[in-house]
Amino acid sequence: MHLRPARRLVILAFLWCALATSLGACVPSSGGTAGGIVLAGSTSVQPFAELLAEEYAREHPSEPVINIQGGGSTAGIEAALSGTAEIGMSSRALREAELAEGLSYQPIAYDAIAVVVHQDNPISSLTSEQVRQIFSGEITTWSQLGGPERPITLITREEGSGTRGAFEELLMQDSRISDRALRQDSNGAVRVIVNSDPAAIGYMSLGIVGTFVKPVALDGVQPTTRAAIEGEYALVRPFLFVWRGELSPPARKFVDYCLSPPAQGILSGEGLIPVEE
Amino acid sequence: MLKEKLVQYLLLAFALTAVLSLTVITVFILREGLPVLVEFGLVRFLTDRVWAPTRGQFGILAMILGSLWVTGGALLVGVPLGLAVAIFTTDYAPPILAELLRPAIQLLAGIPSVIYGFIGLKILVPLIRENLGGPGLSVLAGALVLGVMILPNIIAISEDAIRAVPQLYRDGALALGATHWQSLWRVVLPAARSGIVASVVLGMGRAVGETMAVIMVVGNSLQLPTSPLDAATTLTSNIGLEMAYASGAHRQALFATGIVLFFLIMLLNLVATTFRRRTIRA
């Protein structure tokens, strides 16, 4: 849950590299060597990329192995820039500065972000303005929203998270998420906390909401894949593959596979919104 | 003879590796963290209350206070309990029980911190939320978990210190008509004081440095904690939480946090070794 092996790997690799650079011996390893293609980045995209990679390996046994790692959107974009991964995964749009470094990107799907509360919470609909006020700390108790007399427990993601980046950009606009908010480092951790605290509110990828927490309607629209496809539900962000320069032919082949109808079918079956070719 | 030399050089090489690693680590954190400290200002870094790394705000005051709260709480929990156990095993427990207790306590030290965090999250946090209020993820939860985690450090070193007090002191006190408890409280514990202080300082070092269990139970909010029921972030948990996602100045600021921690832990260890050395002389 908290201890995702992928993140531990990233930290370990990081420490190792740290040690090596200070000895002046860190050779940047390039992605795609040793017969495998490395994808790294967003932990929101990761499970879906893993699913596609598995299916791809089944259908194309002779192609190089696809190696999926986590680390977060910002780390994924960095990895694509530095060449430690051939493809970076991002669950937010690229920033101006990142685009200026000459990155190419390809959306492989779109994902709705759901605002979620505890199952027992009587509140089932909020306006964007209310969500903004809740997360910026202006509204502090559920009674201010017509709910029970209980302080709101805010759950947010850490800085650098693509889900947080997209949530801030799409919904918070210029407001800042309150310092009172509890920070958790994955969709799963947010879900665990919201599931166990009746006063909690958080936001997470719609695809993995499941039945543990309750998504609330935003401005009267229930977050569903359909509503997002039809453009009624506004909190939608892209899942991107990011790379620098030209993709190697095997990597290109994998990206093309991810955009193919069967792969897109798998993604939409998982609750994501397919890209329109 | 040749073998002897070989072993000697081999051991020397190992020892130097340890020293080298420490040097490399020191140089590296300083190199990575200093630029942001210089640019943002050390005082501002330590006293600013806003941490918004993607907006160029690098104040770690909330984390310093969080660390103080959580570590202080852990000592409140761990020190009396640890000392009581140390006194019990050295002076009151029948030898067989003491022999059983020792490995059991040392086993506590071997449990991975993520397990402590998980137990805290699943048992302590809901208990606190339902009975005391607040989100449950709190300074209190962190202090309780860490309080248990530092027990082995405190018990082991305090026990050694108490055992190191010469039997003559006890005999003398008893000969003057003191009861067992009186001789312990008035003579043995004061004589062992420096060792006990060292155990507390080392426990504190462990509490300050612990990361995983703390991330799981303190809530990681950026507010300045004002009550044990408030959520908080510690210096280490913030690094653990954000390192994977950090880049640029944000990453440097995390290294700068590392510098602050580094000097804090060095200081604590220095204090602990000074106190420990004194015990041995006594």
Side-chain angles (χ1 to χ4, degrees):
Chain A
M1 183 190 44
H2 282 258
L3 235 193
R4 275 162 299 130
R7 169 166 296 189
R8 253 174 59 182
L9 259 181
V10 167
I11 294 175
L12 272 179
F14 175 82
L15 286 176
W16 174 242
C17 232
L19 201 73
T21 31
S22 37
L23 288 171
C26 192
V27 184
S29 58
S30 66
T33 50
I37 297 165
V38 177
L39 273 72
S42 167
T43 50
S44 298
V45 183
Q46 192 183 4
F48 304 106
E50 276 165 1
L51 202 66
L52 292 181
E54 248 170 63
E55 196 55 35
Y56 183 73
R58 214 183 339 268
E59 285 174 28
H60 305 83
S62 59
E63 286 294 321
V65 182
I66 311 286
N67 191 343
I68 314 274
Q69 299 165 1
S73 294
T74 307
I77 294 163
E78 292 274 306
L81 273 173
S82 68
T84 44
E86 179 157 15
I87 300 177
M89 301 180 289
S90 171
S91 55
R92 59 166 170 81
L94 296 178
R95 302 193 181 115
E96 292 283 325
E98 289 160 348
L99 282 171
E101 306 239 26
L103 286 171
S104 312
Y105 63 93
Q106 168 69 53
I108 58 154
Y110 293 87
D111 174 45
I113 296 176
V115 175
V116 294
V117 296
H118 190 268
Q119 291 286 9
D120 297 341
N121 197 320
I123 305 274
S124 54
S125 180
L126 293 167
T127 65
S128 305
E129 184 55 32
Q130 281 173 325
V131 174
R132 187 155 44 240
Q133 287 174 340
I134 291 170
F135 276 90
S136 65
E138 287 166 58
I139 295 177
T140 54
T141 67
W142 285 108
S143 58
Q144 284 168 278
L145 299 160
E149 187 59 57
R150 203 171 179 155
I152 296 173
T153 311
L154 285 176
I155 320 283
T156 186
R157 293 287 305 281
E158 75 284 33
E159 295 260 7
S161 144
T163 312
R164 177 180 179 141
F167 181 80
E168 282 180 325
E169 192 180 306
L170 296 168
L171 202 131
M172 295 303 289
Q173 291 158 8
D174 292 328
S175 310
R176 218 169 74 81
I177 292 179
S178 165
D179 280 344
R180 290 183 49 250
L182 311 187
R183 294 177 300 158
Q184 295 294 324
D185 61 3
S186 68
N187 276 308
V190 171
R191 190 168 66 178
V192 167
I193 306 293
V194 175
N195 179 38
S196 63
D197 185 347
I201 185 167
Y203 55 88
M204 59 195 291
S205 181
L206 178 64
I208 60 168
V209 165
T211 55
F212 301 101
V213 291
K214 182 170 87 173
V216 296
L218 205 60
D219 299 320
V221 184
Q222 198 67 33
T224 57
T225 317
R226 172 158 296 281
I229 292 174
E230 285 167 5
E232 292 165 16
Y233 187 75
L235 217 49
V236 174
R237 43 108 180 236
F239 278 180
L240 300 180
F241 279 177
V242 181
W243 63 89
R244 193 161 79 157
E246 283 292 310
L247 280 174
S248 66
R252 179 82 248 172
K253 198 170 169 192
F254 178 65
V255 173
D256 287 341
Y257 165 78
C258 291
L259 296 172
S260 69
Q264 289 290 312
I266 293 174
L267 293 179
S268 85
E270 292 291 321
L272 295 184
I273 302 141
V275 286
E276 287 161 53
E277 275 301 287
Chain B
M1 257 344 215
L2 189 68
K3 224 169 149 188
E4 195 86 347
K5 279 271 174 233
L6 200 73
V7 170
Q8 190 193 330
Y9 284 125
L10 208 63
L11 289 177
L12 180 70
F14 286 147
L16 286 183
T17 314
V19 175
L20 183 73
S21 309
L22 188 65
T23 322
V24 166
I25 290 169
T26 313
V27 168
F28 188 77
I29 352 181
L30 285 177
R31 203 184 72 185
E32 291 291 304
L34 275 182
V36 89
L37 274 188
V38 171
E39 198 179 315
F40 197 70
L42 177 65
V43 175
R44 204 166 146 219
F45 185 71
L46 294 175
T47 57
D48 199 304
R49 51 182 296 170
V50 181
W51 172 264
T54 46
R55 291 166 201 234
Q57 293 278 337
F58 305 111
I60 61 168
L61 182 64
M63 292 151 220
I64 294 177
L65 289 180
S67 277
L68 287 180
W69 270 90
V70 171
T71 307
L75 293 180
L76 280 181
V77 175
V79 171
L81 208 59
L83 261 185
V85 174
I87 292 171
F88 178 71
T89 50
T90 52
D91 277 78
Y92 288 94
I96 302 175
L97 188 59
E99 285 309 310
L100 277 174
L101 270 174
R102 208 160 298 126
I105 291 158
Q106 291 317 311
L107 213 59
L108 273 183
I111 297 173
S113 65
V114 67
I115 304 292
Y116 282 102
F118 194 64
I119 294 172
L121 185 64
K122 285 289 163 196
I123 296 170
L124 274 179
V125 167
L127 271 178
I128 293 171
R129 181 171 53 231
E130 278 150 33
N131 297 305
L132 302 172
L137 296 153
S138 56
V139 167
L140 179 62
L144 287 170
V145 167
L146 280 180
V148 175
M149 291 180 75
I150 63 174
L151 278 180
N153 303 46
I154 292 181
I155 294 170
I157 299 167
S158 301
E159 257 190 30
D160 285 348
I162 294 172
R163 272 180 220 286
V165 175
Q167 186 62 30
L168 204 64
Y169 286 28
R170 294 167 190 262
D171 293 346
L174 293 176
L176 287 172
T179 62
H180 187 175
W181 175 249
Q182 281 169 337
S183 74
L184 191 70
W185 190 247
R186 296 285 172 84
V187 177
V188 177
L189 288 186
R193 191 174 53 206
S194 47
I196 292 170
V197 171
S199 82
V200 172
V201 176
L202 286 176
M204 203 156 139
R206 167 110 162 101
V208 169
E210 177 48 44
T211 309
M212 198 62 223
V214 177
I215 288 186
M216 293 172 80
V217 299
V218 294
N220 311 312
S221 84
L222 286 169
Q223 65 190 331
L224 307 182
T226 53
S227 121
L229 297 178
D230 280 347
T233 303
T234 65
L235 293 164
T236 50
S237 67
N238 194 59
I239 297 176
L241 194 71
E242 296 195 344
M243 186 50 97
Y245 277 179
S247 59
H250 182 189
R251 203 180 81 123
Q252 291 180 335
L254 293 181
F255 271 104
T257 314
I259 297 178
V260 173
L261 264 170
F262 189 81
F263 281 104
L264 190 65
I265 300 279
M266 292 267 268
L267 191 74
L268 286 179
N269 273 309
L270 208 68
V271 173
T273 36
T274 342
F275 271 101
R276 257 188 134 172
R277 215 169 283 143
R278 259 189 239 163
T279 320
I280 294 161
R281 279 202 206 115

